[in-house]
Amino acid sequence: KQSHYDLELQVLRLGDLCIVCWPGEPFVEGQLEVKRLSPKPYTFVAHWCNDAVSYIPTKRAYENGGFEVDLPWCRLAPGALETMAKKSLLMLNKICK
């Protein structure tokens, strides 16, 4: 896994609709966490936006192993998905209040 990987997160708002844009293919747990904690009732997470970082597993998935957490299918370190969710929620709370 790479020690650093710059990627872009985006949050868009159209009235009560918020769209979070993530690169790659994040595991659904991160997406559901963002939707659950969003300040707006209509929040959707789009993926494969702006970059192809492959799978973005949960920390638990790394512990269990499998092809999704191995190279070349995953280039990000454990905790990347959780960090993306936290950063996205900060952005949502800033622009979607």
Side-chain angles (χ1 to χ4, degrees), residues 77-97:
L81 179 65
E82 290 79 6
T83 299
M84 289 170 55
K86 276 189 217 171
K87 297 285 185 182
S88 296
L89 286 164
L90 288 173
M91 294 166 68
L92 278 167
N93 282 306
K94 197 172 199 178
I95 72 163
C96 295
K97 285 187 174 181

Side-chain angles (χ1 to χ4, degrees), residues 1-96:
K1 308 280 185 245
Q2 295 175 246
S3 62
H4 293 85
Y5 192 97
D6 291 329
L7 52 86
E8 186 173 320
L9 306 177
Q10 296 173 318
V11 174
L12 312 168
R13 176 183 173 204
L14 301 165
D16 282 341
L17 171 66
C18 291
I19 302 171
V20 178
C21 302
W22 285 354
E25 191 169 339
F27 279 31
V28 71
E29 293 88 343
Q31 299 172 65
L32 292 174
E33 182 77 356
V34 168
K35 290 178 76 162
R36 186 177 69 79
L37 297 174
S38 174
K40 291 292 182 189
Y42 305 108
T43 300
F44 299 93
V45 180
H47 47 91
W48 288 110
C49 301
N50 304 317
D51 197 355
V53 296
S54 300
Y55 289 116
I56 308 170
T58 62
K59 283 183 184 180
R60 186 173 183 196
Y62 280 97
E63 295 166 5
N64 294 334
F67 81 94
E68 296 100 338
V69 301
D70 291 330
L71 290 171
W73 305 112
C74 178
R75 298 187 311 222
L76 303 179
L81 179 65
E82 290 79 6
T83 299
M84 289 170 55
K86 276 189 217 171
K87 297 285 185 182
S88 296
L89 286 164
L90 288 173
M91 294 166 68
L92 278 167
N93 282 306
K94 197 172 199 178
I95 72 163
C96 295

